[in-house]
Structures are given as structure tokens and as C-alpha cells.
Amino acid sequence: MKISILVAIYNSEKYLRKCLDSLLQQTHTDIEIIAIDDASTDHSWNILQQYASIDNRIVILRQKENGGQAKARNSGLVYATGDYITMVDSDDWLDKNTLKQACEVAKRHPMAGAILFDVIYHDDSTEKEWHYSYRTNKTNFTGHEAFKLSLDWSIHGLYLVKREIHLKYPYDDSCRSYSDDNTTRIHFLHAGEVWRSNGIYYYRQHAASITHAVNIRHFDYAIANYNMKTIMEREHIDQALISYYENHRWINLVGLHIFYLNHRKNFTKQERNIIKKLLKNYYFTIEYHRLSHKLRRKLGYLPFPSHYRYFIYEIQLYNFLRKIYYTCLSKPLPDN
């Protein structure tokens, strides 16, 4: 069973050798590593050339312009010849038995279109490590189950997937951040079965990562969520699942508004105008009739379909009350 590994690289010279070494040291040796340099300005390309010269399982590509991870991975995807495909971020790494253990699960369950790794987080500043905590005791799922569980990250998105699924559904590169989550969910939907394995993926945590950073890219989440819905409609996904996702989009929209309120001083005037326009446009894409009755009656989530200004007043009130609540508890205020 051959495994293709996509590695997108952008200015990763600090971590790249550890990543590549972990792949070359896999006990499952039938692999190809497709490393795509996304127009790095450091020594990443030189490192890739060195590694490619000593192991012919490494294929290296270089992008002329930096286009983000999804576009870089798609450039490499067309070269993949493995039975299964996976991706490893250039600052992450695998245990030496990771692919072997995942392949063993795939062989036992030939109907499985995707095999999840066991994820261990590695804090870059403290060196502490901890396991990703699944919010389910199940070890296998239908595609629909995996999709729903991935929405709130009850299961993660690091896995092997059958080549034919990945080629049919390449990475969503519609925006630079978050859109690749859409690809994970579509893969799950079409995987038939999704199984967990004990193969360890070490996921490095950075304080400056896009999920923690306060910058305009954080609002790509709205674009990615909207694109996910259009993909579902195009794929003729059942209406109950679309309604389920619409509730997820509404919750995320409220969270993005709160994030903006709490961090607007960090944005320039031009960025604030872009963000406000984006959030307003996103607001009017919500199909409010799909929202659950419970959610529609909750302060902060009450919809005003034709009155965006009323919704903004509601969010401001809701955020004000949240601040008072967390102040009384002497706890830091979460972003959403």
C-alpha cells in the first residue's frame, strides 16, 4: 500500500528537517513525499534540494508566488500516485510507526475511505504535550457521522484518505485560511467509513498561528463557511445535514462579530471597513428558517433577518453582558 504525503512549505527552515526526517524514517517505507515550496524567502528550498538529492522518494516543487497552503497542496496533489494520500504540515512530524499503524487499519477495513491519526499537541514554548481529546468513544463512523462530528472538532481533520476521493475533491483554495477544513468534511462525507488509528501525528502549537492571531485573515472563516455550504448544495447533500450546518454557520457568525468587537482597535480603518462589509454580507446569506428554535431564542443569537442593525445592537448588548459575567468570575474573556 503506497502512501503519498503532501508537505506545503513556507519559510519553515526552523522545523523542516525534523518534519522530513520523521517521514523518511517511517517503518512503512512504500511512500512518496511531495514537498511544495510556497515561494519561501528563507532557506527552505535549499533544505528541500538537499533532501531530494539523498532520497528519491522525495519530489520537490516550487511555487512562483505565495498562494497559501491549499493551493500549494493542490499543486502537489496532481503528482500523487499512492493508494492513500495524507498531508503533514512542515512544522509538524510523525512517529516512526504512524503510517504503518494507519495502513494496518486500512487493510482490516477496506471500506474505509479515511483513517484518522492519533494527534498529540506539542506546545512550542513549553515543550508540553497532550493528546487530542475526541468527544466520542466511537472508533469508527459513517461519512455523515464524521462530517457532523468534525464541525465542532469532536473529531479532528488529520488522516489518510483514498486517492480517488482526494483527486475528485482537491483542497478548497477559495481563501488563504480555514477553507481546507471544507475539504476534510467533504472527504468524510464521501469516505463511506472513517476509522481511527493509533498512528501518532505530532501537531506543533504556535502562539502566532492564524487561529490565535488577531489579523484580518481570521475573518476568512466566514468565507470558508459560506463556500462549504455551496459545496454541500452542489453535492446534493440531504437537507437535514444542510440545516445542521446552517446552525453551525450562524454560531460562527456570532463568534466572528464578538471577535471583531473585542479586537477592533487592532485593525486599521481600511481593515475595519472590509471586515464590517464582509460580516454584513455574510449575515444575509443565512437561511434563518433552518435555525433551531432553541438557538433562535437565545440572547446573542436572535435573528433579525431584515434588520442587520438590530442584530448589531443585540451583539453589543450580549458582549457587554459577557464581559460583566467573566469579570465577576475573575476569568479571561473568550473571543466567542
Side-chain angles (χ1 to χ4, degrees):
M1 182 181 292
K2 185 176 183 180
I3 306 298
S4 299
I5 309 165
L6 303 176
V7 185
I9 299 108
Y10 179 68
N11 290 348
S12 301
E13 62 179 2
K14 182 178 179 181
Y15 307 111
L16 185 54
R17 293 182 186 277
K18 183 176 181 66
C19 174
L20 295 175
D21 286 342
S22 78
L23 302 182
L24 294 177
Q25 292 166 7
Q26 288 297 300
T27 52
H28 180 86
T29 58
D30 190 7
I31 64 173
E32 62 180 2
I33 302 164
I34 304 171
I36 313 99
D37 180 76
D38 195 20
S40 295
T41 57
D42 64 359
H43 294 98
S44 293
W45 178 246
N46 293 335
I47 295 172
L48 290 177
Q49 289 178 306
Q50 293 170 13
Y51 274 75
S53 69
I54 61 175
D55 197 310
N56 60 12
R57 294 177 298 172
I58 300 180
V59 177
I60 59 174
L61 307 171
R62 195 176 196 184
Q63 305 284 82
K64 292 182 179 179
E65 297 180 354
N66 178 256
Q69 285 188 327
K71 285 187 177 181
R73 291 174 190 152
N74 281 339
S75 297
L77 182 61
V78 298
Y79 294 91
T81 61
D83 301 292
Y84 282 81
I85 298 172
T86 189
M87 71 89 188
V88 177
D89 283 342
S90 57
D91 50 357
D92 298 337
W93 70 98
L94 303 182
D95 176 77
K96 67 179 182 179
N97 293 315
T98 297
L99 296 182
K100 179 182 178 180
Q101 291 172 301
C103 285
E104 288 173 350
V105 174
K107 290 175 182 177
R108 290 197 302 270
H109 304 285
M111 297 302 293
I115 309 296
L116 295 170
F117 298 127
D118 183 16
V119 173
I120 292 181
Y121 290 112
H122 175 91
D123 189 289
D124 209 33
S125 58
T126 65
E127 298 296 317
K128 291 182 178 179
E129 295 182 344
W130 65 99
H131 276 269
Y132 175 92
S133 180
Y134 286 96
R135 280 181 267 177
T136 173
N137 293 324
K138 295 184 67 173
T139 58
N140 66 292
F141 319 92
T142 66
H144 276 57
E145 286 174 336
F147 175 88
K148 291 181 71 172
L149 289 168
S150 72
L151 291 178
D152 64 358
W153 301 114
S154 292
I155 64 173
H156 59 71
L158 295 166
Y159 55 96
L160 294 180
V161 64
K162 284 185 176 177
R163 178 172 177 267
E164 57 265 30
I165 296 174
H166 210 331
L167 292 183
K168 187 174 181 180
Y169 302 101
Y171 288 102
D172 178 1
D173 59 6
S174 53
C175 52
R176 293 181 67 93
S177 304
Y178 301 108
S179 63
D180 54 352
D181 293 342
N182 296 347
T183 306
T184 293
R185 288 159 181 157
I186 288 296
H187 286 174
F188 287 164
L189 278 173
H190 293 278
E193 296 177 3
V194 178
W195 284 78
R196 289 165 56 176
S197 78
N198 293 323
I200 298 173
Y201 183 112
Y202 286 95
Y203 188 3
R204 194 185 299 272
Q205 297 288 284
H206 298 286
S209 70
I210 189 64
T211 53
H212 297 98
V214 178
N215 62 51
I216 198 169
R217 292 274 67 85
H218 187 86
F219 297 90
D220 282 355
Y221 203 26
I223 301 171
N225 278 188
Y226 178 72
N227 289 339
M228 180 73 240
K229 184 184 176 183
T230 61
I231 292 170
M232 293 175 70
E233 291 173 334
R234 187 172 67 240
E235 290 294 311
H236 303 293
I237 303 302
D238 67 79
Q239 293 300 308
L241 202 51
I242 291 177
S243 293
Y244 185 88
Y245 188 71
E246 197 70 347
N247 281 263
H248 176 75
R249 286 212 305 140
W250 180 238
I251 291 169
N252 286 345
L253 176 61
V254 172
L256 288 172
H257 276 86
I258 291 172
F259 184 89
Y260 174 70
L261 285 178
N262 291 335
H263 299 288
R264 57 187 167 188
K265 292 182 180 179
N266 296 89
F267 302 106
T268 66
K269 182 178 180 180
Q270 182 181 12
E271 287 176 331
R272 289 196 293 270
N273 289 335
I274 292 172
I275 293 167
K276 286 190 287 187
K277 183 178 180 181
L278 171 65
L279 293 179
K280 184 176 181 179
N281 289 340
Y282 182 70
Y283 178 86
F284 288 108
T285 69
I286 298 291
E287 293 183 271
Y288 299 98
H289 68 276
R290 293 187 182 274
L291 303 182
S292 70
H293 292 293
K294 182 179 179 181
L295 193 58
R296 280 188 282 177
R297 293 170 180 170
K298 181 180 178 182
L299 179 63
Y301 298 86
L302 300 171
F304 297 92
S306 302
H307 302 282
Y308 182 65
R309 183 174 295 181
Y310 293 166
F311 171 71
I312 293 299
Y313 293 153
E314 177 192 7
I315 288 293
Q316 291 171 343
L317 173 61
Y318 178 55
N319 197 46
F320 174 73
L321 295 175
R322 287 171 74 252
K323 288 180 179 180
I324 294 175
Y325 175 75
Y326 281 98
T327 299
C328 292
L329 293 178
S330 299
K331 291 183 177 181
L333 180 71
D335 284 325
N336 50 45

